[in-house]
Amino acid sequence: MNQPNLTRTTPLFNTTSIPSHANSIPSSSPAFGTPAHPIRQQDPPAPSKRSILPILLPPATLRPVAFRTFTKKHNLTLTSSALQTLATFIGKHCGSGWRGDGLAEGVLEEIAKVWKKSGGAVIVEGDGNDLKTILRNLESSMSGGRLVQHNGPSRQGAFPLASKRDKMEMGTLEGRRGQLGREDSQDSFGISALDVEDGVNDNLSQDPRQWIKVIGAFEQPRLLYSVAKKHFEISGTAPSLLPDPSHKTHLFRHRYNLIHQRLLRNDSFQASTTASSRTTLLQRSSSSFVTTQHAYKLTPIANLLGRSASGHLLLGLLTISPTGNLALNDLTGSITLDTHLAKPIPEDGAWFTPGMIVLVDGVYEEESSAAAPGLEGDGGVGGLIGGKFIAFSIGGPPCERREVTLGINLNNGDGNSSTGGGFGWVDFLGVGSERASGPMMRGLEQTVLGRHPVQTTGEGKGRMVIMGEMNLDSVKTVQALKKVLGIYAAEAADQMPMAVVLMGNFVQYAVMAGGGSGGSIEYKEYFDSLASALSEYPAMLQAATFIFVPGDNDPWASAFSAGAATLLPRKAVPELFTSRIKRAFAAANAEAEKSTGKKTDGEAIWMTNPARLTLFGPAQEIVLFRDDISARLRRNAIHFQPLAPDAAPDMEESDDAGGIESPATNEEQEASESMEIDQVVEAAESHIPSVKGNEAAKSDVSSDMVTARKLVKTILDQGYLSPFPLSTRPVLWDYAGALQLYPLPTALVMVDPEAPPFAVTYEGCHVMNPGPLVSRGRRGVVKWMEYDTKTRRGKVRETMF
């Protein structure tokens, strides 16, 4: 079949083809008055645009249609102001045919989709700019009462947004380039926030490095939890290094509100609506069952007044009062805490220091009238209420799994099933929300990486190499780094790790503080020697992304801290010291392009402390943090007095005096009642591990693992990387959100040279500590962490150098 000639020429030189006619009479004959050439057939005029006569649509009339679209179909709640705004928009652009022609349903459907894709809250407000911005952007696409798509190639196949300012107002995904995708569009993965265009070649899409995005602490979206709306909102004020003093109060209030809402959504704090007399029977007859089924209730501190000698469960912040005593604070008041009878839960399983938010169970005791006025009475000093709270047990707030926070269920493999009450539509890091792009990105992750059982040893590009405490002023550190890089450089190019994380401190002592590590000139020379060592392995520089995270001894913060704790979060190492390393990567990429003809994109990224690394959008989140946190916890931890062996009977007697029945004293009376407990309850109790089993299991665990578990539980239960007073660990008030661990990340890299190297999983979060690169106390041993993104597990590796 001959292909038509598609060559284009200038219209002036185009030859006009005159069709031959069967009539032999010339067409230009004056008798017929016809032209010499046939009249060019023109396209029929396009039908006129359907005119819409605007109407005044009452909100009450639109309410059933809006409720069916927003609430039943998309699980969104409309306020009265939002309904009024939608009614005005529908009446203006759909006219009288809004119901009969079904115009309103299509427009409302698209508005709901755009609202959810832009990361809007569950409650749709009409007073703010979010909904108005969406309607303003969609107004240009309205034609005849319907939404029409623009002709021409569209990257996401949807409607354009107006401006960058409008995108910020809508809370859209960071990095969307001028367009907002529809949920039913198949032309895009909906991942424009990753700066990856659709239609990329197969080699690029199959390289996991192309799906890595590193987010600094000063680049994260500033989200605040609204107690009234029970949802997250974007902060309306610009962050500052020197904010108003009120922002310090907001810092602790935000932490408290996050943990408080997390507790209220926990099953242990939700009372059953089907309570009956049989519940009382179960509580009396089975002490172990009441522990797992009883619904706890939190009491505000201000409500303790007038309720002396009554037991309560408090949630508050541990602080040191102005009188020097340990106190507990919440949003309603403060009270002195008496811990001489307190027992930590779990025992020797977590640290408790001032600055932590804890649960305290105990009895309130009013202040004695005989107490002398002044500081000894504590009445009204520093906002303290009279009396004290005698604590019997102190524990951290229970942790919440990432899946529960985001409201997804991954057990069925698709991740689309909602568990309810989650924040799946919130874009915490600016890479897309879990509900909007999570299922698609997990499918892409499975295609690129391939999921394997946890027991499978990770191999290939899906690995990350993590090295901590890179003291470049030590010759042994550079030799150990060469040893590790040599191991991976010997592998095939397509099997090398996709990322190498180097974490500080990059010097042993604070730079420019009069220490042994010298000043800025010496610090520059240390990184120049690192650049020379990296240049010996050009294959690694071409195939991997190197990420550098500083410590407290690195500039510029170390210049005035002199080795003490610096402000968190802290900025990256200044570019003044990193120019030689950047040239090493540029030379390696140029060499690869010259020898193979293909461009390589190996790079060095200098990040803040802490920093976050996302892989495949919201599918995986890895937090990178460097701090001597275990030593600080040991220095500031509260010491609990051990109970005497004969204290247990006294406590049981006091409980009986308080009205709590003991199963041992009423064994004969409840013998018949305990028979009514069904077999399901007995089966549930039989699975509760015994004390002997716990002691046996504890004896089999090494002391290093016990320390690791204690550290991991303390940090993850707090959901905060620096649970200390600001006097102990200073924090930038407006950037404290970068220290939040909510929702829990997929993995947490917490480099602490004072703690043993470990890899522990707690509530679905895999926490790793590679420890120092050069092992202390073992000559010639190098240790590092290898994290496999396919199995989401890490392992400690070591070798000799």
Side-chain angles (χ1 to χ4, degrees), residues 161-222:
L161 293 182
S163 63
K164 182 176 181 181
R165 183 182 65 85
D166 294 338
K167 289 189 288 184
M168 294 297 294
E169 292 176 355
M170 293 173 59
T172 54
L173 307 181
E174 181 184 2
R176 279 193 182 178
R177 299 191 186 106
Q179 292 182 345
L180 188 64
R182 301 169 58 123
E183 282 188 340
D184 54 356
S185 174
Q186 300 297 328
D187 299 332
S188 172
F189 286 112
I191 47 177
S192 57
L194 297 178
D195 296 332
V196 179
E197 297 288 345
D198 295 331
V200 295
N201 55 65
D202 294 338
N203 295 332
L204 183 61
S205 61
Q206 294 299 321
D207 187 1
R209 288 185 57 233
Q210 303 300 326
W211 306 101
I212 294 178
K213 183 176 182 180
V214 185
I215 304 172
F218 300 94
E219 302 171 359
Q220 289 184 219
R222 296 182 63 236

Side-chain angles (χ1 to χ4, degrees), residues 476-705:
K476 294 183 179 180
T477 301
V478 180
Q479 296 176 353
L481 175 63
K482 291 182 179 180
K483 179 63 177 182
V484 176
L485 295 180
I487 294 175
Y488 294 103
E491 300 177 354
D494 57 346
Q495 297 295 320
M496 292 183 181
M498 64 178 180
V500 178
V501 181
L502 305 179
M503 305 186 67
N505 295 309
F506 293 111
V507 288
Q508 299 182 49
Y509 307 99
V511 176
M512 294 175 291
S517 296
S520 59
I521 298 178
E522 290 80 5
Y523 192 77
K524 180 69 167 59
E525 293 176 352
Y526 297 149
F527 275 99
D528 291 347
S529 62
L530 176 61
S532 302
L534 295 177
S535 301
E536 299 179 10
Y537 306 94
M540 286 291 296
L541 303 187
Q542 299 162 7
T545 298
F546 282 69
I547 303 172
F548 297 82
V549 178
D552 289 343
N553 292 342
D554 298 305
W556 297 113
S558 62
F560 57 86
S561 66
T566 59
L567 285 168
L568 285 179
R570 60 149 299 164
K571 294 187 176 182
V573 176
E575 297 183 0
L576 171 67
F577 306 104
T578 62
S579 57
R580 185 72 63 86
I581 293 181
K582 293 181 179 179
R583 290 201 299 267
F585 278 85
N589 293 329
E591 180 183 352
E593 184 178 2
K594 182 179 180 180
S595 58
T596 62
K598 297 181 180 179
K599 291 185 178 180
T600 58
D601 51 357
E603 58 179 340
I605 302 177
W606 303 86
M607 291 310 301
T608 60
N609 182 30
R612 296 177 190 259
L613 185 150
T614 63
L615 184 63
F616 298 99
Q620 291 196 42
E621 175 188 349
I622 303 173
V623 178
L624 308 175
F625 184 53
R626 167 64 179 88
D627 189 25
D628 299 331
I629 192 168
S630 61
R632 190 176 294 107
L633 286 171
R634 288 192 295 267
R635 290 194 301 266
N636 297 275
I638 298 174
H639 176 69
F640 295 95
Q641 298 181 2
L643 296 179
D646 55 349
D650 297 336
M651 292 181 61
E652 291 181 359
E653 292 176 2
S654 62
D655 289 343
D656 294 341
I660 302 177
E661 295 182 348
S662 174
T665 59
N666 299 310
E667 182 177 358
E668 296 180 357
Q669 297 180 1
E670 298 180 358
S672 59
E673 294 178 348
S674 62
M675 298 300 294
E676 299 182 12
I677 303 178
D678 52 25
Q679 297 180 357
V680 178
V681 177
E682 294 180 356
E685 294 177 3
S686 63
H687 292 290
I688 299 177
S690 61
V691 178
K692 295 182 179 179
N694 289 337
E695 293 178 354
K698 186 176 180 179
S699 61
D700 296 337
V701 179
S702 63
S703 59
D704 289 348
M705 183 56 62

Side-chain angles (χ1 to χ4, degrees), residues 433-463:
S433 62
E434 177 63 37
R435 296 280 188 89
S437 56
M440 291 182 291
M441 296 308 297
R442 281 192 295 273
L444 182 62
E445 175 191 12
Q446 184 176 2
T447 302
V448 176
L449 295 179
R451 299 304 302 272
H452 300 281
V454 178
Q455 293 80 6
T456 305
T457 302
E459 297 178 355
K461 289 290 284 186
R463 294 173 297 170

Side-chain angles (χ1 to χ4, degrees), residues 684-750:
E685 294 177 3
S686 63
H687 292 290
I688 299 177
S690 61
V691 178
K692 295 182 179 179
N694 289 337
E695 293 178 354
K698 186 176 180 179
S699 61
D700 296 337
V701 179
S702 63
S703 59
D704 289 348
M705 183 56 62
V706 171
T707 303
R709 292 177 178 177
K710 191 174 181 179
L711 175 61
V712 170
K713 179 174 175 57
T714 301
I715 299 302
L716 295 190
D717 283 351
Q718 292 295 315
Y720 197 66
L721 289 174
S722 182
F724 304 101
L726 296 182
S727 58
T728 303
R729 184 55 157 162
V731 174
L732 294 174
W733 302 342
D734 281 2
Y735 295 97
L739 305 179
Q740 292 286 349
L741 296 177
Y742 192 80
L744 281 183
T746 308
L748 169 62
V749 179
M750 191 164 48

Side-chain angles (χ1 to χ4, degrees), residues 137-143 146-150 158-160:
N137 296 329
L138 297 182
E139 187 174 4
S140 60
S141 302
M142 295 292 298
S143 176
R146 302 180 187 275
L147 286 166
V148 295
Q149 297 186 10
H150 295 276
F159 307 102

Side-chain angles (χ1 to χ4, degrees), residues 330-346:
D330 67 0
L331 301 183
T332 64
S334 304
I335 189 171
T336 302
L337 200 61
D338 187 352
T339 60
H340 73 280
L341 294 178
K343 178 181 179 181
I345 297 179

